[in-house]
């Protein structure tokens, strides 16, 4: 499992970081470490840079922590600049600038993976390769990955890289299932409404690209958050399975993802320490989950039998 730091740092504005923000981040980070998480996921835009900043403060408070964790961050989205609410920028200059800024906020000299946050239609793959090569040669970035990219986009980028892409971060959960159903509903009328690019999961598997699932807890739909009537059947089944197996709803939901042979790595995005700890049993539940249980959860979530 990976801990996603998007919820750290306070509000998504320019208000300064407070001691309370750092304390809250420290509790979340320590809860994640407590359940065995070693990978921490950032992005330069999370809470306008404050998520990286408070994480850096947590590392300063606990000097031994840096040697026990691995870090990744993302770049490529610009917010509130040039009179635009948002736009994408994967130019060479932007990648170099944003990577250095992230390292400074985190208070580290290196991240293990740099992810390209969103596809930029104006991206020049050769520029990306050049920027990554410079960062890698300087020891600032260990490897390059992507986020929210299709197989075709990864293939184009890979042609210009001397080293393999190592990760792709995608929205995946029991609630958001396009990634799964796009591969099943081929040549089926139901498949026409899916937006997930066909073959992306298979491309990652074939090329040993780590699949990281953001939104993996489905915003708590199956573990106590408000839900629609359409989600009741899956909620009830998750609850029943958790009670039967003496575990948590979070562990069942994440275990369902991790049971898939693509070796999906869930990104846990909550900043609530108790909810983070509720994920501790996910790997064990994935290992114990039968095919029938996995299909039962899928069927309940989709609200009808598989075709």
């Amino acid at each position: 499992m990976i801990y996603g730091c998007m919820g750290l740092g306070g509000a998504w504005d320019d208000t300064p970081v407070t001691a309370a923000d750092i304390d809250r981040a420290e509790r979340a980070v320590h809860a994640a470490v407590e359940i065995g998480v070693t990978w921490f996921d950032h992005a330069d835009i999370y809470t306008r840079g404050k998520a990286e900043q408070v994480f850096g403060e947590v590392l300063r408070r606990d000097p031994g922590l840096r040697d026990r964790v691995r870090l990744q961050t993302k770049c490529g989205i610009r917010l509130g600049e040039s009179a635009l609410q948002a736009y994408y920028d994967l130019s060479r200059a932007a990648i170099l600038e944003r990577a250095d800024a992230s390292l400074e906020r985190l208070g580290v000299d290196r991240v293990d993976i740099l992810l390209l946050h969103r596809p930029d239609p104006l991206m020049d793959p050769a520029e990306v390769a050049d920027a990554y090569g410079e960062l890698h040669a300087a020891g600032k970035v260990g490897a390059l990955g992507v986020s929210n990219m299709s197989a075709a986009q990864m293939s184009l980028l890979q042609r210009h890289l001397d080293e393999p892409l190592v990760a792709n971060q995608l929205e995946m959960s029991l609630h958001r299932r396009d990634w799964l159903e796009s591969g099943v509903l081929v040549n089926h009328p139901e498949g026409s409404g899916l937006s997930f690019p066909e073959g992306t999961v298979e491309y990652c598997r074939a090329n040993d690209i780590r699949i990281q699932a953001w939104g993996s807890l489905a915003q708590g739909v199956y573990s106590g958050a408000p839900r629609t009537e359409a989600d009741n059947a899956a909620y009830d089944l998750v609850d029943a399975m958790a009670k039967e197996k003496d575990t948590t709803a979070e562990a069942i939901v994440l275990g369902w993802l991790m049971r898939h042979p693509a070796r999906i790595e869930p990104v846990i995005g909550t900043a609530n320490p108790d909810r983070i700890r509720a994920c501790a049993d996910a790997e064990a539940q994935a290992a114990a989950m039968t095919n029938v249980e996995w299909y039962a959860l899928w069927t309940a979530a989709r609200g009808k039998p598989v075709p």
Side-chain angles (χ1 to χ4, degrees):
M1 293 183 289
I2 298 168
Y3 182 70
C5 298
M6 186 174 70
L8 306 183
W12 283 66
D13 56 27
D14 296 327
T15 56
V17 165
T18 66
D21 293 330
I22 301 170
D23 291 342
R24 182 170 179 262
E26 185 175 39
R27 289 191 293 270
V29 170
H30 285 174
V33 171
E34 181 183 316
I35 67 169
V37 172
T38 57
W39 278 92
F40 288 81
D41 172 73
H42 289 273
D44 58 353
I45 63 166
Y46 288 167
T47 56
R48 301 300 181 100
K50 291 184 290 184
E52 291 178 329
Q53 185 182 346
V54 296
F55 194 93
E57 293 297 332
V58 171
L59 292 178
R60 276 185 276 276
R61 286 183 176 185
D62 183 356
L65 182 61
R66 178 66 186 98
D67 294 332
R68 307 200 306 272
V69 300
R70 305 189 72 179
L71 304 179
Q72 63 181 39
T73 194
K74 310 180 200 73
C75 67
I77 301 178
R78 291 189 179 273
L79 297 178
E81 298 182 33
S82 304
L84 291 173
Q85 184 173 342
Y87 70 99
Y88 306 141
D89 186 357
L90 290 177
S91 64
R92 177 183 179 278
I95 293 171
L96 295 175
E97 171 203 340
R98 292 306 181 99
D100 281 340
S102 288
L103 292 174
E104 183 176 353
R105 284 190 293 267
L106 289 165
V108 300
D109 56 12
R110 180 182 186 275
V111 291
D112 295 279
I113 304 175
L114 178 67
L115 300 172
L116 309 179
H117 206 157
R118 288 275 180 184
D120 175 8
L122 301 179
M123 177 189 76
D124 179 346
E127 275 197 42
V128 173
D130 187 51
Y132 167 67
E134 183 172 332
L135 291 167
H136 184 68
K140 296 177 179 180
V141 171
L144 185 68
V146 298
S147 180
N148 304 299
M149 284 199 185
S150 69
Q153 290 165 327
M154 286 185 285
S155 179
L156 173 64
L157 182 57
Q158 186 63 70
R159 291 184 62 184
H160 294 264
L161 296 168
D162 294 328
E163 296 188 22
L165 293 168
V166 299
N168 189 9
Q169 196 170 114
L170 303 159
E171 185 178 10
M172 310 169 88
S173 70
L174 183 60
H175 196 258
R176 174 64 187 270
R177 302 176 306 278
D178 282 7
W179 62 274
L180 172 63
E181 305 211 355
S182 66
V184 173
L185 298 176
V186 174
N187 197 34
H188 191 281
E190 287 184 35
S192 61
L194 299 176
S195 63
F196 195 87
E198 183 181 334
T200 297
V201 171
E202 291 80 2
Y203 180 90
C204 291
R205 292 180 68 182
N207 291 279
D208 295 321
I209 296 171
R210 295 167 58 183
I211 300 177
Q212 302 177 354
W214 65 269
S216 59
L217 286 170
Q219 291 73 50
V221 165
Y222 306 120
S223 51
R227 60 187 182 277
T228 66
E229 186 175 345
D231 298 317
N232 283 339
Y235 174 87
D236 290 342
L237 181 56
V238 168
D239 181 62
M241 289 179 67
K243 289 175 179 174
E244 176 189 348
K245 298 171 183 293
D246 192 25
T247 190
T248 63
E250 289 87 351
I252 295 296
V253 170
L254 297 183
W256 181 83
L257 270 179
M258 298 173 80
R259 175 65 176 78
H260 192 277
R263 303 193 303 277
I264 296 167
E265 302 172 358
V267 179
I268 304 167
T270 178
N272 182 330
D274 290 335
R275 196 153 178 248
I276 294 169
R277 294 186 184 97
C279 301
D281 199 31
E283 189 172 356
Q285 292 304 317
M289 190 173 292
T290 67
N291 286 19
V292 170
E293 290 171 332
W294 190 88
Y295 271 91
L297 287 165
W298 179 23
T299 302
R302 73 193 311 266
K304 53 188 172 183
V306 295

